[in-house]
Amino acid sequence: MADPSRPARRRGRRSLSDGAARAPVARLAASQLKRLRRIVDVAVGLAEKGGFEAVRLRDVAEASDVALGTLYKYFRSKEDILVFALREEVERFEAATAARPPEGRTPLDRLTHFFERATDGMTRRPNFARAVIRSIAAGDHEIATQVAAFHLRMTRLIVASLRGEPADLAAPLAETTGNEREGRVAFVLQNVWFASLAGWAGGLHPAKTVAEQVRVAASLMLHSA
Amino acid sequence: MADPSRPARRRGRRSLSDGAARAPVARLAASQLKRLRRIVDVAVGLAEKGGFEAVRLRDVAEASDVALGTLYKYFRSKEDILVFALREEVERFEAATAARPPEGRTPLDRLTHFFERATDGMTRRPNFARAVIRSIAAGDHEIATQVAAFHLRMTRLIVASLRGEPADLAAPLAETTGNEREGRVAFVLQNVWFASLAGWAGGLHPAKTVAEQVRVAASLMLHSA
DNA sequence: AGCGTTTTTGAAACATGTTCTAATAAGCGG
DNA sequence: CCGCTTATTAGAACATGTTTCAAAAACGCT
């Protein structure tokens, strides 16, 4: 007599890879770090080849030399693994962007450049990207919270592009960068980007269109009526 | 030796409820229409109570007095049922909006009013809305195509609100309503709305915030810099 | 090294979406 | 009404995410 409205699984347990809000991948022994890495790498590899469904946890466990139960000690769910991979990806992207800020004379140029890079980074591995997008949208609160953190990171980068300044990665994420208007523009652009990526993921339009749509949105907000 | 990258299920078969592009719910006998209705109603009821996971197809089949196999003759997947329900919902919303267009003296007022209604319509049944959003984001191409059709419908309504004219529901959907700028504004607003709804679905912010964020986006595009 | 604690393992079990099949029922053209 | 075609059924079967559990291994500490 299971109660469908409250699925038995996914209780308040913690996964070893947690620390979304706190220290990233906290105090894990070296061997555990290696296990985690193997799991994530295998999962990403499978996702790149065949998308969300290709990431079969039995396969992941076997290929990363870990028992299924252990895998669930590290991650709450399949989506959790993929979101973890996304987190790493976002961090890499953030570092790369901070190291080499998008070029362009006008804010619109820089934003265009920025989102071209971001879109390219996502769509370069289409199956992985689709798998990640699907994981994001699963509706889980825990996952949504992590996604909110990515949002903040991206917003910071967008504001930096808008201003033509390098992003300050050392600043606390919660801190509002830029003035109100800049933050709002960044917020809207990010939503447009996400929604457009979702459309791309569903095969509605090519990757190029994603970047174009964001540019259109940016130009609508940056230019006067 | 199943190939994970190409899941066996979901081949090019057609479901009876198809006709997304063509006639809606084509030539079905009366008894079949009744079956379809029972299935959808039961599924919606379960979704309202417990969200996506509460819609257990075995339960749906039993409660709607239909065999599991029959259910799969009508719908390709669980997501397909929920998207069908969304389609009906969107059509209702469209009719209601056309009958009583959003009020307001300025475009911004009308858009605000419009999105308040739309957001309220979605978030009034939170579990159902979350279930639907999850279904939308599943990444299936067939489903994405249907979602694209909703997009067109919504865009038409948004443009009408923007102009302060009643929407012409008789016009073919593909036809571009409004001038280019209006279409773009509508497109951006819809993306913001969707992305913000997704955030709401994940528990990141209350429903009120969704409407606010869309209003902010609209004001950024309607006012000059 | 020895010991108590924690982690990992291996394997089974469970839940649920999806598919398959043989038998039955329904619908329909004549 | 007959026979043919198609739809429906009941139920098993399959795939895969998730959970559980007892035993074995690894770990950390003194």
Side-chain angles (χ1 to χ4, degrees):
Chain A
M1 192 211 312
D3 178 356
S5 64
R6 266 242 312 228
R9 56 181 155 141
R10 206 155 305 161
R11 286 171 278 178
R13 96 198 107 118
R14 289 233 149 260
S15 64
L16 293 188
S17 74
D18 253 1
R22 316 170 158 284
V25 186
R27 49 192 80 279
L28 291 187
S31 66
Q32 292 184 303
L33 277 182
K34 266 189 250 165
R35 267 198 199 91
L36 186 120
R37 184 108 306 278
R38 288 204 307 270
I39 292 171
V40 175
D41 289 345
V42 167
V44 169
L46 290 174
E48 283 175 352
K49 276 187 226 140
F52 188 82
E53 339 224 344
V55 185
R56 293 192 297 211
L57 296 193
R58 284 172 176 80
D59 294 351
V60 173
E62 187 178 8
S64 50
D65 258 310
V66 143
L68 210 41
T70 305
L71 199 161
Y72 273 94
K73 203 105 176 264
Y74 282 75
F75 297 97
R76 282 188 174 70
S77 66
K78 178 168 167 172
E79 288 88 353
D80 201 27
I81 304 179
L82 291 165
V83 168
F84 182 91
L86 176 60
R87 168 156 61 179
E88 295 191 317
E89 188 65 28
V90 169
E91 279 164 6
R92 268 193 294 275
F93 179 72
E94 191 178 38
T97 304
R100 199 158 50 82
E103 301 163 12
R105 238 179 294 105
T106 69
L108 181 56
D109 283 345
R110 290 190 295 272
L111 284 176
T112 301
H113 190 189
F114 173 82
F115 278 106
E116 270 168 6
R117 274 196 205 163
T119 303
D120 188 65
M122 282 298 281
T123 58
R124 166 176 253 97
R125 290 128 76 208
N127 290 325
F128 172 72
R130 272 189 272 267
V132 161
I133 289 173
R134 172 164 175 173
S135 300
I136 284 180
D140 187 283
H141 186 175
E142 304 277 344
I143 284 179
T145 302
Q146 293 184 243
V147 173
F150 304 155
H151 260 244
L152 289 182
R153 285 199 137 75
M154 286 293 284
T155 298
R156 184 161 64 180
L157 294 178
I158 297 170
V159 169
S161 297
L162 193 51
R163 297 181 148 191
E165 298 174 356
D168 177 13
L169 302 191
L173 253 190
E175 182 175 306
T176 308
T177 29
N179 61 40
E180 185 139 342
R181 182 187 160 80
E182 288 170 335
R184 287 172 166 182
V185 169
F187 180 85
V188 170
L189 289 181
Q190 179 155 26
N191 281 356
V192 171
W193 187 60
F194 169 73
S196 191
L197 263 184
W200 164 83
L204 297 186
H205 49 246
K208 212 178 116 193
T209 304
V210 176
E212 281 174 7
Q213 290 179 340
V214 178
R215 186 172 45 71
V216 165
S219 93
L220 282 170
M221 302 174 94
L222 295 180
H223 300 341
S224 55
Chain B
M1 165 149 41
D3 178 357
S5 64
R6 266 242 314 228
R9 55 178 155 143
R10 207 153 304 158
R11 287 171 277 178
R13 94 197 109 112
R14 288 233 149 261
S15 66
L16 293 187
S17 75
D18 253 1
R22 318 171 157 283
V25 186
R27 49 193 80 280
L28 290 187
S31 66
Q32 292 184 303
L33 277 182
K34 266 188 248 163
R35 269 199 198 91
L36 188 132
R37 184 108 304 281
R38 287 204 307 270
I39 292 171
V40 175
D41 289 345
V42 167
V44 168
L46 290 175
E48 282 174 353
K49 274 185 227 143
F52 188 82
E53 338 224 345
V55 185
R56 292 191 297 211
L57 296 192
R58 284 172 176 82
D59 293 352
V60 173
E62 187 178 8
S64 51
D65 257 311
V66 143
L68 208 44
T70 305
L71 200 160
Y72 273 94
K73 204 105 176 262
Y74 282 76
F75 296 97
R76 280 188 180 69
S77 67
K78 179 167 167 173
E79 288 88 353
D80 201 28
I81 304 180
L82 291 165
V83 168
F84 183 91
L86 175 61
R87 168 156 62 180
E88 295 190 317
E89 189 65 28
V90 169
E91 280 164 6
R92 269 193 292 276
F93 179 73
E94 190 178 37
T97 304
R100 198 159 51 80
E103 300 162 13
R105 239 180 293 104
T106 69
L108 181 55
D109 284 346
R110 290 191 294 273
L111 284 176
T112 300
H113 190 191
F114 173 82
F115 278 106
E116 271 168 6
R117 273 196 204 164
T119 303
D120 187 67
M122 281 299 281
T123 58
R124 166 175 254 99
R125 290 130 73 206
N127 290 325
F128 172 71
R130 272 189 271 268
V132 161
I133 288 173
R134 172 166 175 172
S135 300
I136 284 180
D140 187 285
H141 187 176
E142 306 276 343
I143 284 179
T145 302
Q146 292 182 244
V147 173
F150 305 155
H151 259 245
L152 288 181
R153 286 197 137 76
M154 287 294 284
T155 299
R156 184 161 64 181
L157 294 178
I158 297 170
V159 169
S161 298
L162 193 52
R163 297 182 148 189
E165 298 173 355
D168 177 13
L169 301 191
L173 253 190
E175 182 174 306
T176 309
T177 28
N179 60 40
E180 184 139 340
R181 182 186 161 81
E182 288 170 336
R184 288 172 166 181
V185 169
F187 180 85
V188 170
L189 290 181
Q190 181 155 27
N191 281 356
V192 171
W193 187 59
F194 169 72
S196 190
L197 265 183
W200 163 83
L204 298 186
H205 49 247
K208 212 178 116 193
T209 305
V210 176
E212 281 175 7
Q213 290 179 339
V214 178
R215 187 172 45 69
V216 164
S219 93
L220 281 171
M221 302 174 94
L222 295 179
H223 301 339
S224 54

